[in-house]
Amino acid sequence: MAATLRDVARLAGVSTSTVSRALSLPDLVNPATRARVRTAADTLGYEPNRAARGLITGRTGNIGLVLPDLANPFFPSVVKGVQARARAADVAVFVADTDEDVAAEMDLVRALAQQVDGLILCSPRADAAYLKAIAADTTVVLVNRLVDDLPAVVFDHEDGMRQAVAHLAALGHQRIAWVGGPAASWSSDQRGQGLTQASAAHGVDLIDVGHFPPHYDGGMAAADQVVATGATAVIAYNDLVAIGLLARLHARSIPVPKAISVVGIDDIAMSAMSHPALTTIRLPKQQAGRLAVDLLLTLLENPATTPAPTILPGDLLVRASTTEPLR
């Protein structure tokens, strides 16, 4: 038989209402009593009824996580970080995939907001006005997106691009192509700005090839245009695009890195297994997920908090896809 609230109260020597407060509203119970209740609950293996607890706290015990594309290996890493931290906090996570569709994203966000205590929006594609409107009604944390003073966990994309350009310039590259991601992607815009600044600082020519879908086929589609620019190196919006570039260049018998160097961003698992292994900017994806949950739970407890964005650095990983240009 599963232990009940009454069983915990009997073992701890307190009333059932005290047990309920100690488990759902611990700040209202003195520390010694709270510890005694927690010990009794652990001893009996008591699991609080989430629905009953919600009636007391006004909370569902659920949070929502909305992201653009679960098929992109970048996002499952964020999900793992979110789920690990949420599980430790006894919070359930509802995950929604928008398939890079802004209208679907907006619909899912509106629907989830009615069922959860707060939302984590990872790389949202909706415009800033919509995100601010949602945040006015629901506790929201953004990941990989900055919108005014909304709580956020982001990556230092500009510094990552500085590292990539510095690496290529040191190898002797003077003409670098940039294959951007979706036009609505904040991170693509940030990376493009970082590249513009870094290329100017190093006296390198930067050729913007345009916006492409953020996956393998996008890289395949961009490759011929990259070759036509005469660039000796290319930086791709992410590793999936970079791996698509590698495949198309191989199909055209253009050797990488001998004829053209390729740099990706994200450090997904397959980037080390590509041929050649991909030079990339490693982003701390799981850490971003964990910190987003911490921030959301803090805001739920202290709604008046206005935290500054958390900015996580990336690191250049040099592998076999970059070398000196042909002379």
Side-chain angles (χ1 to χ4, degrees), residues 19-47:
V19 172
S20 180
R21 284 194 299 274
L23 296 178
S24 58
L25 298 168
D27 291 343
L28 300 182
V29 180
N30 76 67
T33 302
R34 188 168 66 229
R36 196 159 73 249
V37 170
R38 187 70 264 175
T39 299
D42 291 344
T43 299
L44 295 171
Y46 173 73
E47 293 292 337

PDB file of all heavy atoms in Angstrom, residues 19-47:
ATOM      1  N   VAL A  19       1.843  18.586   7.557  1.00  0.00           N
ATOM      2  CA  VAL A  19       2.555  17.831   6.531  1.00  0.00           C
ATOM      3  C   VAL A  19       2.315  18.459   5.159  1.00  0.00           C
ATOM      4  O   VAL A  19       3.249  18.654   4.364  1.00  0.00           O
ATOM      5  CB  VAL A  19       2.121  16.353   6.522  1.00  0.00           C
ATOM      6  CG1 VAL A  19       2.731  15.624   5.317  1.00  0.00           C
ATOM      7  CG2 VAL A  19       2.515  15.673   7.812  1.00  0.00           C
ATOM      8  N   SER A  20       1.068  18.800   4.890  1.00  0.00           N
ATOM      9  CA  SER A  20       0.734  19.389   3.599  1.00  0.00           C
ATOM     10  C   SER A  20       1.482  20.693   3.380  1.00  0.00           C
ATOM     11  O   SER A  20       2.059  20.920   2.314  1.00  0.00           O
ATOM     12  CB  SER A  20      -0.783  19.630   3.531  1.00  0.00           C
ATOM     13  OG  SER A  20      -1.126  20.204   2.294  1.00  0.00           O
ATOM     14  N   ARG A  21       1.514  21.549   4.423  1.00  0.00           N
ATOM     15  CA  ARG A  21       2.235  22.822   4.295  1.00  0.00           C
ATOM     16  C   ARG A  21       3.734  22.592   4.154  1.00  0.00           C
ATOM     17  O   ARG A  21       4.408  23.264   3.372  1.00  0.00           O
ATOM     18  CB  ARG A  21       1.958  23.719   5.505  1.00  0.00           C
ATOM     19  CG  ARG A  21       0.595  24.388   5.491  1.00  0.00           C
ATOM     20  CD  ARG A  21       0.540  25.512   6.522  1.00  0.00           C
ATOM     21  NE  ARG A  21       0.760  25.029   7.871  1.00  0.00           N
ATOM     22  CZ  ARG A  21      -0.191  24.547   8.666  1.00  0.00           C
ATOM     23  NH1 ARG A  21      -1.438  24.472   8.207  1.00  0.00           N
ATOM     24  NH2 ARG A  21       0.084  24.145   9.890  1.00  0.00           N
ATOM     25  N   ALA A  22       4.273  21.650   4.921  1.00  0.00           N
ATOM     26  CA  ALA A  22       5.714  21.404   4.885  1.00  0.00           C
ATOM     27  C   ALA A  22       6.174  20.937   3.509  1.00  0.00           C
ATOM     28  O   ALA A  22       7.295  21.234   3.088  1.00  0.00           O
ATOM     29  CB  ALA A  22       6.091  20.370   5.944  1.00  0.00           C
ATOM     30  N   LEU A  23       5.314  20.207   2.796  1.00  0.00           N
ATOM     31  CA  LEU A  23       5.700  19.667   1.490  1.00  0.00           C
ATOM     32  C   LEU A  23       5.370  20.597   0.334  1.00  0.00           C
ATOM     33  O   LEU A  23       6.041  20.555  -0.700  1.00  0.00           O
ATOM     34  CB  LEU A  23       5.026  18.310   1.275  1.00  0.00           C
ATOM     35  CG  LEU A  23       5.434  17.200   2.252  1.00  0.00           C
ATOM     36  CD1 LEU A  23       4.645  15.920   1.957  1.00  0.00           C
ATOM     37  CD2 LEU A  23       6.930  16.925   2.191  1.00  0.00           C
ATOM     38  N   SER A  24       4.343  21.425   0.507  1.00  0.00           N
ATOM     39  CA  SER A  24       3.923  22.271  -0.611  1.00  0.00           C
ATOM     40  C   SER A  24       4.257  23.737  -0.409  1.00  0.00           C
ATOM     41  O   SER A  24       4.484  24.477  -1.374  1.00  0.00           O
ATOM     42  CB  SER A  24       2.418  22.119  -0.862  1.00  0.00           C
ATOM     43  OG  SER A  24       1.674  22.464   0.299  1.00  0.00           O
ATOM     44  N   LEU A  25       4.280  24.193   0.858  1.00  0.00           N
ATOM     45  CA  LEU A  25       4.620  25.582   1.167  1.00  0.00           C
ATOM     46  C   LEU A  25       5.639  25.597   2.301  1.00  0.00           C
ATOM     47  O   LEU A  25       5.366  26.064   3.414  1.00  0.00           O
ATOM     48  CB  LEU A  25       3.360  26.359   1.574  1.00  0.00           C
ATOM     49  CG  LEU A  25       2.256  26.461   0.508  1.00  0.00           C
ATOM     50  CD1 LEU A  25       0.970  26.977   1.120  1.00  0.00           C
ATOM     51  CD2 LEU A  25       2.699  27.366  -0.619  1.00  0.00           C
ATOM     52  N   PRO A  26       6.821  25.070   2.068  1.00  0.00           N
ATOM     53  CA  PRO A  26       7.796  24.854   3.143  1.00  0.00           C
ATOM     54  C   PRO A  26       8.188  26.113   3.906  1.00  0.00           C
ATOM     55  O   PRO A  26       8.543  26.045   5.073  1.00  0.00           O
ATOM     56  CB  PRO A  26       8.999  24.235   2.421  1.00  0.00           C
ATOM     57  CG  PRO A  26       8.813  24.586   0.987  1.00  0.00           C
ATOM     58  CD  PRO A  26       7.353  24.650   0.765  1.00  0.00           C
ATOM     59  N   ASP A  27       8.118  27.281   3.272  1.00  0.00           N
ATOM     60  CA  ASP A  27       8.518  28.515   3.955  1.00  0.00           C
ATOM     61  C   ASP A  27       7.575  28.881   5.097  1.00  0.00           C
ATOM     62  O   ASP A  27       7.918  29.719   5.944  1.00  0.00           O
ATOM     63  CB  ASP A  27       8.581  29.677   2.960  1.00  0.00           C
ATOM     64  CG  ASP A  27       9.727  29.530   1.973  1.00  0.00           C
ATOM     65  OD1 ASP A  27      10.649  28.731   2.254  1.00  0.00           O
ATOM     66  OD2 ASP A  27       9.699  30.182   0.922  1.00  0.00           O
ATOM     67  N   LEU A  28       6.386  28.254   5.128  1.00  0.00           N
ATOM     68  CA  LEU A  28       5.426  28.553   6.191  1.00  0.00           C
ATOM     69  C   LEU A  28       5.599  27.648   7.407  1.00  0.00           C
ATOM     70  O   LEU A  28       4.858  27.776   8.384  1.00  0.00           O
ATOM     71  CB  LEU A  28       3.992  28.414   5.649  1.00  0.00           C
ATOM     72  CG  LEU A  28       3.611  29.337   4.478  1.00  0.00           C
ATOM     73  CD1 LEU A  28       2.161  29.112   4.095  1.00  0.00           C
ATOM     74  CD2 LEU A  28       3.858  30.791   4.834  1.00  0.00           C
ATOM     75  N   VAL A  29       6.558  26.733   7.358  1.00  0.00           N
ATOM     76  CA  VAL A  29       6.766  25.776   8.440  1.00  0.00           C
ATOM     77  C   VAL A  29       8.175  25.964   8.997  1.00  0.00           C
ATOM     78  O   VAL A  29       9.128  26.152   8.235  1.00  0.00           O
ATOM     79  CB  VAL A  29       6.580  24.329   7.927  1.00  0.00           C
ATOM     80  CG1 VAL A  29       6.793  23.319   9.048  1.00  0.00           C
ATOM     81  CG2 VAL A  29       5.190  24.160   7.307  1.00  0.00           C
ATOM     82  N   ASN A  30       8.309  25.905  10.323  1.00  0.00           N
ATOM     83  CA  ASN A  30       9.641  26.117  10.891  1.00  0.00           C
ATOM     84  C   ASN A  30      10.588  24.999  10.461  1.00  0.00           C
ATOM     85  O   ASN A  30      10.159  23.861  10.219  1.00  0.00           O
ATOM     86  CB  ASN A  30       9.571  26.258  12.419  1.00  0.00           C
ATOM     87  CG  ASN A  30       9.358  24.935  13.121  1.00  0.00           C
ATOM     88  OD1 ASN A  30      10.224  24.064  13.107  1.00  0.00           O
ATOM     89  ND2 ASN A  30       8.206  24.779  13.767  1.00  0.00           N
ATOM     90  N   PRO A  31      11.871  25.305  10.342  1.00  0.00           N
ATOM     91  CA  PRO A  31      12.832  24.356   9.761  1.00  0.00           C
ATOM     92  C   PRO A  31      12.874  22.996  10.449  1.00  0.00           C
ATOM     93  O   PRO A  31      12.994  21.968   9.778  1.00  0.00           O
ATOM     94  CB  PRO A  31      14.170  25.094   9.887  1.00  0.00           C
ATOM     95  CG  PRO A  31      13.801  26.538   9.888  1.00  0.00           C
ATOM     96  CD  PRO A  31      12.499  26.623  10.621  1.00  0.00           C
ATOM     97  N   ALA A  32      12.783  22.965  11.779  1.00  0.00           N
ATOM     98  CA  ALA A  32      12.867  21.685  12.487  1.00  0.00           C
ATOM     99  C   ALA A  32      11.687  20.789  12.142  1.00  0.00           C
ATOM    100  O   ALA A  32      11.851  19.589  11.875  1.00  0.00           O
ATOM    101  CB  ALA A  32      12.924  21.935  13.998  1.00  0.00           C
ATOM    102  N   THR A  33      10.494  21.362  12.129  1.00  0.00           N
ATOM    103  CA  THR A  33       9.299  20.581  11.774  1.00  0.00           C
ATOM    104  C   THR A  33       9.362  20.150  10.318  1.00  0.00           C
ATOM    105  O   THR A  33       9.024  19.014   9.965  1.00  0.00           O
ATOM    106  CB  THR A  33       8.025  21.411  12.025  1.00  0.00           C
ATOM    107  OG1 THR A  33       7.980  21.794  13.391  1.00  0.00           O
ATOM    108  CG2 THR A  33       6.784  20.615  11.675  1.00  0.00           C
ATOM    109  N   ARG A  34       9.794  21.062   9.470  1.00  0.00           N
ATOM    110  CA  ARG A  34       9.905  20.740   8.047  1.00  0.00           C
ATOM    111  C   ARG A  34      10.854  19.570   7.832  1.00  0.00           C
ATOM    112  O   ARG A  34      10.568  18.656   7.046  1.00  0.00           O
ATOM    113  CB  ARG A  34      10.402  21.985   7.300  1.00  0.00           C
ATOM    114  CG  ARG A  34      10.387  21.847   5.784  1.00  0.00           C
ATOM    115  CD  ARG A  34      10.598  23.176   5.130  1.00  0.00           C
ATOM    116  NE  ARG A  34      11.932  23.724   5.383  1.00  0.00           N
ATOM    117  CZ  ARG A  34      12.177  24.955   5.797  1.00  0.00           C
ATOM    118  NH1 ARG A  34      11.185  25.794   6.049  1.00  0.00           N
ATOM    119  NH2 ARG A  34      13.422  25.376   5.977  1.00  0.00           N
ATOM    120  N   ALA A  35      11.987  19.579   8.519  1.00  0.00           N
ATOM    121  CA  ALA A  35      12.954  18.491   8.382  1.00  0.00           C
ATOM    122  C   ALA A  35      12.374  17.175   8.889  1.00  0.00           C
ATOM    123  O   ALA A  35      12.598  16.115   8.281  1.00  0.00           O
ATOM    124  CB  ALA A  35      14.234  18.835   9.148  1.00  0.00           C
ATOM    125  N   ARG A  36      11.608  17.237   9.989  1.00  0.00           N
ATOM    126  CA  ARG A  36      11.013  16.016  10.538  1.00  0.00           C
ATOM    127  C   ARG A  36       9.993  15.423   9.558  1.00  0.00           C
ATOM    128  O   ARG A  36       9.942  14.213   9.344  1.00  0.00           O
ATOM    129  CB  ARG A  36      10.346  16.338  11.885  1.00  0.00           C
ATOM    130  CG  ARG A  36      10.040  15.113  12.712  1.00  0.00           C
ATOM    131  CD  ARG A  36       9.869  15.430  14.195  1.00  0.00           C
ATOM    132  NE  ARG A  36       8.613  16.116  14.470  1.00  0.00           N
ATOM    133  CZ  ARG A  36       8.527  17.388  14.865  1.00  0.00           C
ATOM    134  NH1 ARG A  36       9.623  18.117  15.009  1.00  0.00           N
ATOM    135  NH2 ARG A  36       7.344  17.934  15.113  1.00  0.00           N
ATOM    136  N   VAL A  37       9.211  16.288   8.935  1.00  0.00           N
ATOM    137  CA  VAL A  37       8.220  15.826   7.952  1.00  0.00           C
ATOM    138  C   VAL A  37       8.923  15.232   6.738  1.00  0.00           C
ATOM    139  O   VAL A  37       8.535  14.170   6.229  1.00  0.00           O
ATOM    140  CB  VAL A  37       7.298  16.987   7.535  1.00  0.00           C
ATOM    141  CG1 VAL A  37       6.440  16.582   6.330  1.00  0.00           C
ATOM    142  CG2 VAL A  37       6.413  17.409   8.703  1.00  0.00           C
ATOM    143  N   ARG A  38       9.969  15.907   6.273  1.00  0.00           N
ATOM    144  CA  ARG A  38      10.698  15.416   5.103  1.00  0.00           C
ATOM    145  C   ARG A  38      11.318  14.051   5.378  1.00  0.00           C
ATOM    146  O   ARG A  38      11.275  13.147   4.525  1.00  0.00           O
ATOM    147  CB  ARG A  38      11.788  16.413   4.737  1.00  0.00           C
ATOM    148  CG  ARG A  38      12.538  16.148   3.454  1.00  0.00           C
ATOM    149  CD  ARG A  38      11.677  16.373   2.242  1.00  0.00           C
ATOM    150  NE  ARG A  38      11.089  15.132   1.756  1.00  0.00           N
ATOM    151  CZ  ARG A  38      10.217  15.046   0.776  1.00  0.00           C
ATOM    152  NH1 ARG A  38       9.800  16.137   0.192  1.00  0.00           N
ATOM    153  NH2 ARG A  38       9.741  13.896   0.382  1.00  0.00           N
ATOM    154  N   THR A  39      11.867  13.884   6.567  1.00  0.00           N
ATOM    155  CA  THR A  39      12.463  12.598   6.940  1.00  0.00           C
ATOM    156  C   THR A  39      11.413  11.503   6.991  1.00  0.00           C
ATOM    157  O   THR A  39      11.626  10.386   6.491  1.00  0.00           O
ATOM    158  CB  THR A  39      13.167  12.716   8.316  1.00  0.00           C
ATOM    159  OG1 THR A  39      14.209  13.686   8.221  1.00  0.00           O
ATOM    160  CG2 THR A  39      13.755  11.374   8.735  1.00  0.00           C
ATOM    161  N   ALA A  40      10.249  11.815   7.577  1.00  0.00           N
ATOM    162  CA  ALA A  40       9.164  10.830   7.653  1.00  0.00           C
ATOM    163  C   ALA A  40       8.683  10.456   6.252  1.00  0.00           C
ATOM    164  O   ALA A  40       8.437   9.275   5.960  1.00  0.00           O
ATOM    165  CB  ALA A  40       8.012  11.384   8.485  1.00  0.00           C
ATOM    166  N   ALA A  41       8.545  11.454   5.375  1.00  0.00           N
ATOM    167  CA  ALA A  41       8.091  11.189   4.005  1.00  0.00           C
ATOM    168  C   ALA A  41       9.080  10.304   3.256  1.00  0.00           C
ATOM    169  O   ALA A  41       8.693   9.362   2.550  1.00  0.00           O
ATOM    170  CB  ALA A  41       7.885  12.504   3.268  1.00  0.00           C
ATOM    171  N   ASP A  42      10.384  10.593   3.433  1.00  0.00           N
ATOM    172  CA  ASP A  42      11.409   9.784   2.768  1.00  0.00           C
ATOM    173  C   ASP A  42      11.420   8.363   3.320  1.00  0.00           C
ATOM    174  O   ASP A  42      11.585   7.398   2.564  1.00  0.00           O
ATOM    175  CB  ASP A  42      12.785  10.433   2.948  1.00  0.00           C
ATOM    176  CG  ASP A  42      12.928  11.738   2.182  1.00  0.00           C
ATOM    177  OD1 ASP A  42      12.096  11.976   1.288  1.00  0.00           O
ATOM    178  OD2 ASP A  42      13.852  12.516   2.494  1.00  0.00           O
ATOM    179  N   THR A  43      11.268   8.228   4.607  1.00  0.00           N
ATOM    180  CA  THR A  43      11.271   6.900   5.236  1.00  0.00           C
ATOM    181  C   THR A  43      10.130   6.037   4.709  1.00  0.00           C
ATOM    182  O   THR A  43      10.302   4.842   4.442  1.00  0.00           O
ATOM    183  CB  THR A  43      11.153   7.034   6.773  1.00  0.00           C
ATOM    184  OG1 THR A  43      12.270   7.779   7.259  1.00  0.00           O
ATOM    185  CG2 THR A  43      11.114   5.661   7.444  1.00  0.00           C
ATOM    186  N   LEU A  44       8.950   6.655   4.535  1.00  0.00           N
ATOM    187  CA  LEU A  44       7.772   5.908   4.080  1.00  0.00           C
ATOM    188  C   LEU A  44       7.680   5.830   2.556  1.00  0.00           C
ATOM    189  O   LEU A  44       6.814   5.129   2.026  1.00  0.00           O
ATOM    190  CB  LEU A  44       6.504   6.573   4.628  1.00  0.00           C
ATOM    191  CG  LEU A  44       6.345   6.551   6.156  1.00  0.00           C
ATOM    192  CD1 LEU A  44       5.172   7.426   6.576  1.00  0.00           C
ATOM    193  CD2 LEU A  44       6.141   5.117   6.643  1.00  0.00           C
ATOM    194  N   GLY A  45       8.569   6.541   1.874  1.00  0.00           N
ATOM    195  CA  GLY A  45       8.489   6.560   0.414  1.00  0.00           C
ATOM    196  C   GLY A  45       7.254   7.288  -0.077  1.00  0.00           C
ATOM    197  O   GLY A  45       6.685   6.955  -1.121  1.00  0.00           O
ATOM    198  N   TYR A  46       6.832   8.316   0.659  1.00  0.00           N
ATOM    199  CA  TYR A  46       5.610   9.049   0.313  1.00  0.00           C
ATOM    200  C   TYR A  46       5.827   9.934  -0.908  1.00  0.00           C
ATOM    201  O   TYR A  46       6.802  10.677  -0.995  1.00  0.00           O
ATOM    202  CB  TYR A  46       5.161   9.908   1.493  1.00  0.00           C
ATOM    203  CG  TYR A  46       3.997  10.818   1.166  1.00  0.00           C
ATOM    204  CD1 TYR A  46       2.716  10.299   1.006  1.00  0.00           C
ATOM    205  CD2 TYR A  46       4.191  12.193   1.021  1.00  0.00           C
ATOM    206  CE1 TYR A  46       1.654  11.132   0.702  1.00  0.00           C
ATOM    207  CE2 TYR A  46       3.128  13.031   0.716  1.00  0.00           C
ATOM    208  CZ  TYR A  46       1.858  12.493   0.555  1.00  0.00           C
ATOM    209  OH  TYR A  46       0.807  13.314   0.245  1.00  0.00           O
ATOM    210  N   GLU A  47       4.915   9.865  -1.867  1.00  0.00           N
ATOM    211  CA  GLU A  47       4.952  10.705  -3.056  1.00  0.00           C
ATOM    212  C   GLU A  47       3.746  11.629  -3.025  1.00  0.00           C
ATOM    213  O   GLU A  47       2.607  11.162  -3.068  1.00  0.00           O
ATOM    214  CB  GLU A  47       4.912   9.860  -4.336  1.00  0.00           C
ATOM    215  CG  GLU A  47       6.149   9.010  -4.562  1.00  0.00           C
ATOM    216  CD  GLU A  47       7.372   9.859  -4.863  1.00  0.00           C
ATOM    217  OE1 GLU A  47       7.197  11.008  -5.314  1.00  0.00           O
ATOM    218  OE2 GLU A  47       8.496   9.383  -4.638  1.00  0.00           O
TER     219      GLU A  47
END
